[in-house]
């Protein structure tokens, strides 16, 4: 769970950096984003890493479902007054619910972008690359679609907030002195990822309005 989660967190940084190009001004942004996507999509090493990524998403999901079943079975008690809120945060107790929101988001995300890019009939730009840029831009003209992204990304942010901190314990890095530093770094990571991803659909939507 921890290792697949850390790999997925690393992917989130690379994916954010690539997609921030959508916010560049002018017509050249379209050609740049499309050739960047073409460069990645055609690189054998990146294609191999993509398969590791898909495997990590599946493993992380299957592991989460398995652990959740195990802990429900082990706890088996229903509390008349649930006082767990005093010892843990609400998001650490609802990692499964947050994970389900992220999973549903990924189903939509893969259908609308990944599938269209790999197997769809996208028009080509002036350089002969698939025009992924226009596909993404047009999708964020719709307010409901932007809201869907913002909700999913906030769920991702809370999921990361707990996930990064608990992962370092799982892989054996628990140490009283470093705990605080790791916790602060985890918070900074979750906030930067959340704000960075939210900025993309929101700014594209607002740009369409002016
Ligand atoms: C608002 C921000 C986002 C934009 C504009 C965006 C855009 C895209 C696009 C255009 C693709 C298809 C092309 C490609 O395969 O690279 C893609 C793939 C993907 N996205 Fe996103 N994405 C965003 C946020 C996210 C988030 C938050 C996650 C994770 C929770 C995510 C996970 C993925 C994954 C796993 C793939 C497949 C990558 C691959 O095939 O190698 N994306 N995204």
């Amino acid at each position: 769970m921890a290792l697949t989660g850390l790999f997925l967190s690393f992917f989130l940084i690379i994916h954010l950096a690539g997609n921030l190009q959508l916010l560049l001004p002018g017509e050249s942004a379209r050609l740049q984003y499309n050739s960047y996507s073409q460069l990645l999509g055609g690189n054998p090493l990146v294609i191999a890493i993509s398969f590791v990524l898909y495997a990590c998403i599946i493993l992380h999901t299957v592991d989460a479902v398995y652990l959740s079943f195990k802990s429900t079975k082990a706890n088996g008690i229903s509390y008349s007054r649930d006082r767990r809120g005093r010892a843990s945060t609400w998001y650490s107790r609802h990692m499964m619910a947050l994970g389900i929101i992220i999973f549903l988001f990924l189903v939509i995300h893969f259908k609308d972008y990944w599938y269209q890019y790999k197997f769809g009939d996208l028009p080509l730009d002036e350089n002969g690359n698939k025009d992924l840029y226009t596909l993404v831009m047009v999708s964020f003209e719709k307010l409901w679609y932007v809201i869907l992204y913002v909700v999913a990304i906030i769920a991702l942010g809370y999921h990361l907030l707990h996930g990064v901190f608990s992962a370092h314990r799982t892989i054996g890095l628990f140490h009283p002195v470093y705990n605080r530093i790791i916790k602060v770094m985890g918070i900074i990571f979750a906030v930067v990822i959340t704000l960075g991803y939210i900025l993309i659909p929101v700014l594209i939507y607002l740009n369409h309005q002016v």
Side-chain angles (χ1 to χ4, degrees):
M1 193 90 238
L3 286 179
T4 51
L6 286 177
F7 182 86
L8 294 172
S9 300
F10 184 66
F11 162 78
L12 283 173
I13 302 172
I14 310 285
H15 197 51
L16 176 61
N19 281 304
L20 281 173
Q21 294 176 77
L22 288 163
L23 300 179
L24 292 173
E27 170 66 8
S28 61
R30 186 165 72 94
L31 300 179
Q32 181 176 324
Y33 185 76
N34 291 340
S35 61
Y36 163 80
S37 306
Q38 172 64 36
L39 200 76
L40 285 191
N43 182 316
L45 181 66
V46 178
I47 295 172
I49 295 172
S50 290
F51 283 106
V52 178
L53 173 70
Y54 307 146
C56 278
I57 296 174
I58 295 168
L59 273 175
H60 196 78
T61 311
V62 171
D63 227 1
V65 173
Y66 170 72
L67 286 177
S68 165
F69 269 119
K70 231 172 89 174
S71 91
T72 313
K73 240 173 122 183
N75 287 332
I77 323 153
S78 72
Y79 300 98
S80 54
R81 283 181 73 194
D82 189 341
R83 289 173 174 241
R84 284 170 295 171
R86 290 183 176 189
S88 60
T89 55
W90 68 268
Y91 50 87
S92 70
R93 280 175 278 118
H94 292 95
M95 287 296 275
M96 192 61 184
L98 295 170
I100 290 170
I101 296 174
I102 299 162
F103 183 79
L104 292 177
F105 160 79
L106 277 177
V107 172
I108 297 169
H109 193 58
F110 266 64
K111 176 186 138 307
D112 289 351
Y113 295 160
W114 181 87
Y115 182 83
Q116 286 304 321
Y117 187 58
K118 303 267 180 202
F119 308 107
D121 207 7
L122 285 188
L124 304 181
D125 67 14
E126 291 87 321
N127 293 335
N129 296 321
K130 288 189 181 180
D131 195 359
L132 187 59
Y133 176 90
T134 304
L135 177 79
V136 178
M137 285 294 181
V138 169
S139 67
F140 291 139
E141 278 175 13
K142 295 167 284 212
L143 181 62
W144 70 267
Y145 203 75
V146 173
I147 293 172
L148 186 129
Y149 265 67
V150 171
V151 169
I153 293 163
I154 290 174
L156 173 69
Y158 278 112
H159 196 78
L160 290 175
L161 211 53
H162 176 69
V164 174
F165 186 65
S166 79
H168 96 276
R169 290 175 175 228
T170 312
I171 56 178
L173 294 179
F174 186 84
H175 188 288
V177 178
Y178 302 125
N179 261 3
R180 223 185 147 71
I181 302 171
I182 291 176
K183 193 158 195 165
V184 171
M185 277 166 48
I187 292 172
I188 294 172
F189 174 73
V191 170
V192 169
I193 290 289
T194 308
L195 292 181
Y197 275 109
I198 284 181
L199 221 58
I200 298 172
V202 169
L203 285 184
I204 294 174
Y205 177 78
L206 293 176
N207 260 339
H208 278 127
Q209 306 306 305
V210 289

